[in-house]
Amino acid sequence: MSTEPPPYPTGPDPDDNDPFRKQPPPTGAGGGSPYDTPPPGGGPGGGPGGGAPPPPYGGDPYGSPDPLSGMPPLADSGKRVLARIIDMVLVGIVVWALSWLFGTHEYDLDPDKVDAGKSFGQSLLAAVLYIAYDSYFISKSGQTLGKKWLGMRVANLNDGATPTLQSALARAAVLWVPFAFCCACVWTAVCGGWSFFDKPYKQGLHDKAAKTVVVSTG
């Protein structure tokens, strides 16, 4: 009889329990995500020569055949807009309060009486606070308060993980710098509204810059 002790059991890989990463697609009849890549083989709907049909979104411009496989469904663009409005109101209240506190608030609508220094100061303050807010929450959990309340989060397109601070900062800068310094309404509509028409990943222009997507959590 062997006297060698049994091998020491190893625990599960911590990454396997990370809810922010891609999860393996479920197995069994009727299972699977709408973003799963079908297995190779023939059958109805198969590709030429009995191969698998193409990914449901026609491939990934960043390299992999179907990066959304194993990830939650993409968030609804309308809910994304509502979450963004909530975030803008929350941060806007802080911007308004600090503008009054530091004397950078520009409230005169008469263009002949506008103080350029105050106007720039308020815009700079808004840009800094919006970028800091977005970058902090997105890099921490993938969710701003608006996104958390409406059941969605930002994820890396390639692996489903929470974006790094660098990615979150790039994403926030593309969204908020033009918003704070020029054409706020137009840029918000173009940058955020891009997700309504983007195929296949419903990305806003800020998502494209950071290679992120917004997925549902509920």
Side-chain angles (χ1 to χ4, degrees):
M1 177 182 294
S2 173
T3 59
E4 294 183 4
Y8 189 81
T10 59
D13 186 339
D15 286 343
D16 293 340
N17 297 322
D18 182 358
F20 296 115
R21 290 188 174 274
K22 285 186 182 181
Q23 301 300 309
T27 58
S33 158
Y35 307 112
D36 291 345
T37 304
Y57 295 104
D60 171 26
Y62 305 124
S64 62
D66 186 13
L68 290 179
S69 178
M71 289 174 64
L74 293 170
D76 177 73
S77 294
K79 289 180 67 177
R80 290 182 60 175
V81 171
L82 183 56
R84 180 63 64 193
I85 292 174
I86 292 173
D87 292 331
M88 289 172 65
V89 170
L90 293 175
V91 179
I93 292 173
V94 178
V95 171
W96 179 85
L98 291 179
S99 295
W100 276 103
L101 180 63
F102 292 109
T104 61
H105 183 72
E106 181 55 61
Y107 56 87
D108 199 326
L109 300 180
D110 186 344
D112 295 328
K113 297 181 180 179
V114 169
D115 187 323
K118 288 186 177 182
S119 180
F120 177 79
Q122 186 175 11
S123 296
L124 180 62
L125 179 63
V128 169
L129 289 180
Y130 277 121
I131 291 173
Y133 170 85
D134 233 320
S135 299
Y136 172 76
F137 282 105
I138 295 301
S139 63
K140 182 180 180 181
S141 64
Q143 297 175 298
T144 59
L145 295 178
K147 285 181 171 60
K148 183 176 182 179
W149 295 340
L150 294 183
M152 64 189 82
R153 71 177 181 87
V154 179
N156 289 334
L157 177 60
N158 65 329
D159 63 3
T162 299
T164 64
L165 179 59
Q166 182 178 0
S167 295
L169 186 61
R171 185 178 187 273
V174 170
L175 180 63
W176 293 117
V177 170
F179 171 86
F181 290 101
C182 67
C183 52
C185 296
V186 174
W187 180 248
T188 301
V190 172
C191 189
W194 200 270
S195 67
F196 282 90
F197 310 101
D198 182 72
K199 302 294 181 182
Y201 305 120
K202 295 185 179 180
Q203 293 174 299
L205 296 181
H206 51 310
D207 289 313
K208 290 185 178 296
K211 293 184 173 64
T212 58
V213 289
V214 180
V215 297
S216 175
T217 61

